Amino acid sequence: MELDVVLSPLLQVVFDKLATPFLEEITNICGVKGELKKLRRTLRAIQTVLKEAEERQLTDKALKNWLTELKEVAYDVEDLLDECSPEVMLSGNRNRFMDQVSIFVPSLGKLASCVDMLPKLKQIKEKLDVLAEEKSYFNLKEGLVSDSGSRSRSRWRRQTGSFVIESEVFGRVEDKETIVEQLVSVGENPGKISIISIVGIGGLGKTTLAQLAYNDERVKRHFDLKIWVCVNDDFDVGKIMVSILESGSKSRCDLFGMDVLQFRLWELLFEKRYLLVLDDVWNEDHNEWDNLRTSLSSGVEGSKIIVTTRSEKVATIMGTTYIHHLKGLSDDNCWDLFKQRAFGYNEDHHPNLSAIGKQIVKKCGGVPLAAKTLGSVMQFKRGEKEWFFVQDSDLWDVSESDSGILPALRLSYSHLPTRLKDCFAYCSIFPRNYIFKKEKLIRLWIAEGLFQSEGRKSQEFIGNEYFDHLVWMSFFQDLQRDDHGNIVECKMHNLIHDLAQSVAGNEYLRVEGNNIVKSLSLIRHSSVVCDFRLYTIPETLYEAKKLRTLILVFPRGNLGEVPPGVFSSFRYLRVLDLSGSGIKKLHDSISSFIFLRYLDLSNSHVETLPESVCCLYNLQVMNLSGCYNLIKLPSHTGKMLKLKHLILIGCERLTQMPASIGNLKNLRTLSMFIVGEGMGESLSELQNLNLGGELNIRHLENVKDATEAMTANLIEKRSLQSLELSGGNDHKELNRNNDTDGTLGREVLNYLQPHEYLKELSIKGYRGICFPEWMSELPNLIELVLIDCSRCEHLPTLGRLPFLKVLYLQGMDAVRVIGKEFYAKEKDSLPWSN
């Protein structure tokens, strides 16, 4: 299985860049405005048929090849337009002579960008013209717009019924008991139909569990009527109603009119306590479900509906009263299923194969369908060599049956909206059992250009929507949440990871060690994780000249310095991740990455960064968290105008910020700000920054005037979740600025009032006698830390903080008594739990 060629998002990026005023000016000067208009017109003509082409590619190999070639050209266009951007021209990559000339004749300076642009533009246009002519061969219809997923493309359809042989099911006793208990118990909402949803990835046994509960004797006695309907992905209300009537009456239904169907369904369910199973539901349309639900209301109290689905979103839309997240089977249970298919009743005749089989079963990841599929594959193989071959192979290489796990999981992929398919495939470059950090993954997607902002929706907002969709569809599991309930980490089931690799094709490639099985010169855009036990990069990797993402993983974490060949070979990089690599020095040649948007040096040993980093004018993310040896940032960091996230968590040796950070108007994350004494280092630099997440403001003793704190405008930074305010190094410099009575410190803290939605607040080294009133007016605060506020005689009125869970006090030497003002009211109890 290969990746669906998804071109729509990339083409939209190209159109956005073609419309920039700067490009208009450049093309006017170069005399190629007409050529660019023709290019735009050709792309528009192709865009009109793109949706249908993307839908039909699974069944038309020639069309898929056409889309692949078109995507190659679209990437070429994007690269060319990026080279002509003002940011790249500012990065010092133009001819020096032309730079000098531009001082006297500005328009001549811009001609420098045309030197390389003209031949490339001509070559691209020739390719595009050929592809535009070829599109007529495929009889594509114009104007088909749909991004809801490829619902009509999957040929793998199954029909299910209620019958099950319970003796052939293993490991579902507890799950069955849970569902049965939900079915026979009295619902929490009397008079309403209770809906029980069984949610999990394809092949996990959701249908089997529903069948087990459906056929349980207690359930048979409890309900007057039982109905089983296999819905699949065509949520046609009329067809579903016909299926309900046929299952409930056990006779054929030839009715078609909606009014008649509703009347007959009302009659069928009237005054009956019924159980309805809707198996394999994909519908995410509220209205469609409402149309069906209204026809199911004639049953009596205690009627129940079981829904099986891969999507938690579907379960939510249907008004589920109980969601059962189905987990995988144990290896022992998978072995029972496997050997049943592989050996029948003759396991004892093949003791030499059992040990190998138990290793093969580990590939199943607890998924029953995978165990059955592999067992069926091995049924007619009795040689140890054949079994070892399967043990060492990927599941996709040994299971090609149309009734196996591959088509079952492929169906989930086919249902993804078009724009999510590349986002899902991108996950294939990471190893199995990798812990995905949600924030990082979304920023990588953005850096890769997998989607753009839409109207008022930012890229980050859309990325969160896409991530949530993959969670709802069970592509991610083992979700880890922070104290506020937000998902921060997750994993991918091994079989889902295998699915991602199987659909990735040549777009994304994971390289392990020196084993590169594909010719990288043929791979146009790949994302490569180099997981090496040596300190060198395989020479063949340098063939991938158009590489966009490079993630270097050195297990021993002792890279030292990036190999020079990286800078000369991969000029089109958008992502460079060297986190945890042990790098100690970054070469000046980093400036050659003029397209770079994401640079991760976290948990490395760098002490300083070269000033050439500031030439990365397209950089959006610079992650330096955990760089404990970092002592200085480049002095011209304030010129990196596209920077959105500067992550400095754990950079404890950093003592000074570069001047004019306030120029970075796009900055959304600044985890640390150090107040300095020089020009452009005051708190007023924060005034116009719309910061979110975590902010740690240090060295507040350097504030000369309390009005600086007021101009920081923290109260308007409504995306901030965590705020730390501290003074001095170990709070030993608090007598500076002659603030002997703490008046200045009190005024500064008073002006640093955050917004009311803040979740975490930490204050260290405060010199005042009392805390500002606003500390008692943070109704959403969950955690409060007060350290070395040694002059404070009274604690804030914490009884007004209803959600406070954590209170940490240290070095509060002046506090002698905790009075009733601490609780807000005399009868109030402590609101925190720790």
Side-chain angles (χ1 to χ4, degrees):
M1 182 183 181
E2 295 181 353
L3 175 72
D4 285 1
V5 181
V6 181
L7 188 52
S8 304
L10 174 60
L11 214 54
Q12 189 55 53
V13 173
V14 170
F15 282 127
D16 291 342
K17 291 180 179 179
L18 281 170
T20 59
F22 184 81
L23 186 64
E24 288 286 330
E25 185 180 356
I26 285 290
T27 53
N28 273 334
I29 293 171
C30 297
V32 293
K33 186 175 182 179
E35 292 298 309
L36 209 65
K37 278 187 175 180
K38 291 177 183 177
L39 179 69
R40 190 184 291 118
R41 200 159 46 239
T42 304
L43 286 171
R44 285 290 183 198
I46 290 173
Q47 189 186 38
T48 60
V49 299
L50 201 54
K51 289 298 181 182
E52 187 185 1
E54 289 176 341
E55 292 289 322
R56 281 174 42 189
Q57 62 180 298
L58 185 64
T59 56
D60 191 330
K61 185 69 174 178
L63 184 57
K64 188 182 184 75
N65 291 337
W66 181 78
L67 281 171
T68 301
E69 291 183 42
L70 184 58
K71 191 168 187 177
E72 297 284 314
V73 177
Y75 274 128
D76 284 335
V77 174
E78 186 190 17
D79 288 341
L80 178 60
L81 295 178
D82 281 350
E83 285 189 73
C84 296
S85 68
E87 292 81 17
V88 172
M89 294 181 69
L90 283 169
S91 68
N93 283 274
R94 295 183 299 170
N95 180 279
R96 289 190 177 184
F97 172 75
M98 294 303 295
D99 285 342
Q100 296 297 319
V101 172
S102 67
I103 296 174
F104 305 102
V105 188
S107 63
L108 288 180
K110 293 177 180 177
L111 282 172
S113 61
C114 300
V115 175
D116 291 327
M117 181 182 181
L118 292 174
K120 290 180 181 178
L121 181 60
K122 182 180 179 182
Q123 187 179 28
I124 288 171
K125 189 178 178 304
E126 287 174 355
K127 290 181 181 178
L128 204 56
D129 287 342
V130 171
L131 291 167
E133 284 185 27
E134 290 178 352
K135 78 179 175 65
S136 60
Y137 303 156
F138 301 107
N139 297 316
L140 298 169
K141 297 177 183 177
E142 296 185 2
L144 177 63
V145 179
S146 171
D147 197 39
S148 58
S150 308
R151 299 184 184 279
S152 62
R153 293 185 303 151
S154 178
R155 292 168 294 175
W156 192 81
R157 292 286 183 273
R158 61 167 192 165
Q159 287 295 321
T160 65
S162 62
F163 184 71
V164 65
I165 302 176
E166 191 163 353
S167 62
E168 295 182 359
V169 180
F170 300 94
R172 292 302 185 201
V173 174
E174 291 184 9
D175 294 295
K176 174 189 169 184
E177 287 301 312
T178 300
I179 299 300
V180 170
E181 184 178 333
Q182 288 290 326
L183 291 175
V184 300
S185 64
V186 178
E188 295 181 2
N189 300 310
K192 292 186 178 180
I193 302 170
S194 297
I195 300 176
I196 301 155
S197 290
I198 304 172
V199 179
I201 64 172
L204 202 54
K206 302 180 294 296
T207 299
T208 301
L209 177 57
Q211 291 167 333
L212 290 173
Y214 187 92
N215 288 287
D216 186 87
E217 288 298 326
R218 292 164 290 178
V219 172
K220 290 180 180 179
R221 292 193 297 268
H222 185 76
F223 291 99
D224 303 318
L225 178 66
K226 296 194 304 167
I227 302 165
W228 183 284
V229 175
C230 181
V231 178
N232 282 327
D233 56 0
D234 182 16
F235 199 89
D236 185 310
V237 174
K239 289 181 180 178
I240 294 172
M241 292 171 73
V242 168
S243 297
I244 292 174
L245 289 169
E246 289 183 341
S247 177
S249 64
K250 300 296 183 287
S251 61
R252 182 176 176 81
C253 176
D254 294 320
L255 302 174
F256 297 104
M258 182 58 67
D259 187 60
V260 178
L261 286 172
Q262 288 177 331
F263 179 76
R264 287 292 177 87
L265 189 53
W266 181 275
E267 278 188 327
L268 177 70
L269 304 179
F270 183 67
E271 294 297 316
K272 294 186 180 71
R273 180 193 290 161
Y274 67 84
L275 168 63
L276 168 62
V277 174
L278 297 175
D279 187 36
D280 197 21
V281 180
W282 297 83
N283 173 61
E284 295 182 0
D285 187 330
H286 280 275
N287 293 329
E288 290 292 334
W289 166 238
D290 286 343
N291 291 338
L292 177 61
R293 180 176 52 81
T294 54
S295 301
L296 302 175
S297 57
S298 63
V300 299
E301 184 177 325
S303 295
K304 303 287 176 74
I305 297 176
I306 294 178
V307 174
T308 71
T309 180
R310 305 185 190 195
S311 171
E312 189 169 342
K313 185 177 181 180
V314 169
T316 302
I317 285 172
M318 298 185 76
T320 297
T321 51
Y322 172 77
I323 295 181
H324 187 79
H325 292 281
L326 193 58
K327 306 296 183 184
L329 297 179
S330 67
D331 283 347
D332 288 341
N333 290 140
C334 280
W335 170 244
D336 289 334
L337 281 171
F338 175 89
K339 69 182 182 182
Q340 186 182 67
R341 293 289 182 98
F343 302 119
Y345 299 101
N346 301 314
E347 180 191 356
D348 294 340
H349 296 171
H350 307 282
N352 59 320
L353 301 180
S354 293
I356 308 171
K358 289 179 179 179
Q359 295 301 312
I360 292 175
V361 159
K362 292 180 180 179
K363 294 178 179 293
C364 301
V367 176
L369 182 57
K372 291 179 181 179
T373 301
L374 283 173
S376 298
V377 169
M378 306 313 295
Q379 185 174 9
F380 301 105
K381 300 180 187 295
R382 290 295 178 257
E384 288 187 8
K385 187 175 181 180
E386 293 175 296
W387 281 58
F388 278 124
F389 174 80
V390 172
Q391 179 184 324
D392 297 333
S393 301
D394 289 334
L395 179 62
W396 313 110
D397 295 331
V398 298
S399 171
E400 295 296 334
S401 169
D402 282 341
S403 60
I405 186 64
L406 176 57
L409 292 180
R410 181 193 289 144
L411 191 60
S412 293
Y413 171 76
S414 297
H415 274 75
L416 284 178
T418 303
R419 295 187 175 204
L420 262 73
K421 289 181 176 177
D422 271 341
C423 295
F424 171 65
Y426 191 88
C427 299
S428 67
I429 67 175
F430 299 96
R432 282 188 175 196
N433 300 313
Y434 179 79
I435 298 175
F436 290 94
K437 295 186 183 302
K438 176 182 178 180
E439 201 170 62
K440 177 175 181 176
L441 182 60
I442 291 172
R443 289 172 182 171
L444 287 171
W445 287 343
I446 292 171
E448 268 287 317
L450 299 183
F451 49 83
Q452 296 297 304
S453 56
E454 299 174 5
R456 296 180 62 185
K457 289 184 178 181
S458 66
Q459 286 179 295
E460 287 77 8
F461 185 90
I462 294 170
N464 273 282
E465 286 187 329
Y466 286 5
F467 182 91
D468 289 342
H469 195 109
L470 291 173
V471 170
W472 291 331
M473 288 293 294
S474 304
F475 283 106
F476 290 127
Q477 63 177 25
D478 296 341
L479 308 178
Q480 299 297 315
R481 300 178 184 270
D482 60 17
D483 293 336
H484 318 311
N486 303 310
I487 298 173
V488 291
E489 294 179 352
C490 62
K491 287 185 177 180
M492 193 173 262
H493 190 283
N494 284 346
L495 288 183
I496 296 296
H497 182 268
D498 290 348
L499 173 66
Q501 287 189 315
S502 76
V503 303
N506 286 338
E507 278 290 320
Y508 306 101
L509 176 65
R510 175 177 169 79
V511 181
E512 297 193 20
N514 290 298
N515 181 26
I516 299 179
V517 295
K518 298 182 181 181
S519 173
L520 290 174
S521 61
L522 301 177
I523 299 175
R524 176 59 174 82
H525 289 278
S526 299
S527 303
V528 181
V529 176
C530 303
D531 189 359
F532 309 120
R533 299 195 176 279
L534 305 173
Y535 299 138
T536 58
I537 295 177
E539 289 298 320
T540 49
L541 181 61
Y542 295 120
E543 297 175 15
K545 299 295 184 183
K546 298 296 181 70
L547 206 62
R548 288 195 160 202
T549 295
L550 181 61
I551 303 176
L552 296 176
V553 179
F554 288 79
R556 299 175 189 174
N558 194 20
L559 175 58
E561 192 171 353
V562 179
V566 170
F567 301 110
S568 59
S569 299
F570 306 131
R571 69 183 300 265
Y572 291 99
L573 276 185
R574 266 65 172 177
V575 172
L576 178 60
D577 188 343
L578 300 168
S579 58
S581 63
I583 185 174
K584 298 176 182 177
K585 182 181 179 182
L586 197 61
H587 198 273
D588 285 339
S589 299
I590 186 73
S591 61
S592 64
F593 294 145
I594 56 177
F595 303 113
L596 199 66
R597 298 168 185 166
Y598 184 103
L599 177 61
D600 192 343
L601 301 171
S602 61
N603 300 307
S604 63
H605 303 312
V606 293
E607 294 185 5
T608 60
L609 299 176
E611 286 294 328
S612 59
V613 165
C614 299
C615 294
L616 302 175
Y617 290 103
N618 281 303
L619 197 67
Q620 299 174 2
V621 179
M622 184 156 63
N623 187 356
L624 299 169
S625 61
C627 293
Y628 301 107
N629 296 322
L630 185 69
I631 58 176
K632 184 182 177 183
L633 291 172
S635 59
H636 293 100
T637 302
K639 294 183 178 180
M640 303 174 72
L641 300 182
K642 286 200 172 183
L643 199 61
K644 291 183 178 181
H645 307 283
L646 179 56
I647 307 166
L648 301 169
I649 299 170
C651 298
E652 299 300 328
R653 294 184 63 190
L654 198 61
T655 58
Q656 186 179 11
M657 298 297 291
S660 303
I661 285 292
N663 290 339
L664 305 180
K665 298 298 190 291
N666 290 309
L667 204 61
R668 296 295 176 265
T669 303
L670 179 63
S671 43
M672 182 194 300
F673 182 82
I674 302 171
V675 182
E677 297 180 280
M679 183 75 71
E681 297 177 1
S682 71
L683 273 175
S684 59
E685 292 297 313
L686 301 177
Q687 181 175 7
N688 297 314
L689 301 184
N690 185 18
L691 299 175
E694 175 181 339
L695 174 60
N696 179 352
I697 302 178
R698 297 189 173 186
H699 288 289
L700 284 169
E701 76 279 1
N702 288 332
V703 178
K704 297 181 178 66
D705 188 327
T707 56
E708 292 179 19
M710 182 171 62
T711 59
N713 201 24
L714 293 190
I715 197 168
E716 294 298 325
K717 303 185 193 311
R718 295 184 174 271
S719 296
L720 276 181
Q721 297 289 304
S722 176
L723 177 64
E724 179 176 319
L725 305 171
S726 63
N729 291 323
D730 298 326
H731 323 304
K732 295 177 181 177
E733 302 179 24
L734 299 180
N735 289 324
R736 297 180 65 174
N737 297 324
N738 298 314
D739 186 25
T740 55
D741 63 354
T743 302
L744 178 59
R746 185 166 61 251
E747 290 180 355
V748 168
L749 189 61
N750 193 52
Y751 283 133
L752 290 176
Q753 178 179 354
H755 63 88
E756 61 181 328
Y757 301 103
L758 194 75
K759 304 293 185 184
E760 299 174 3
L761 175 65
S762 177
I763 298 177
K764 301 178 181 180
Y766 172 54
R767 306 187 64 251
I769 296 174
C770 59
F771 289 102
E773 187 65 25
W774 60 255
M775 287 183 64
S776 303
E777 299 171 357
L778 298 173
N780 296 285
L781 200 67
I782 293 175
E783 179 177 323
L784 177 62
V785 176
L786 303 174
I787 296 177
D788 291 336
C789 303
S790 55
R791 292 186 180 182
C792 286
E793 299 176 356
H794 302 279
L795 293 175
T797 307
L798 302 182
R800 297 178 187 170
L801 309 179
F803 296 106
L804 191 66
K805 295 181 179 179
V806 178
L807 174 64
Y808 182 86
L809 306 176
Q810 178 183 315
M812 307 294 291
D813 300 338
V815 176
R816 294 288 180 264
V817 178
I818 297 178
K820 62 182 181 180
E821 72 278 0
F822 178 70
Y823 305 102
K825 294 180 181 178
E826 192 170 345
K827 295 183 179 180
D828 280 349
S829 59
L830 293 173
W832 56 86
S833 58
N834 293 300

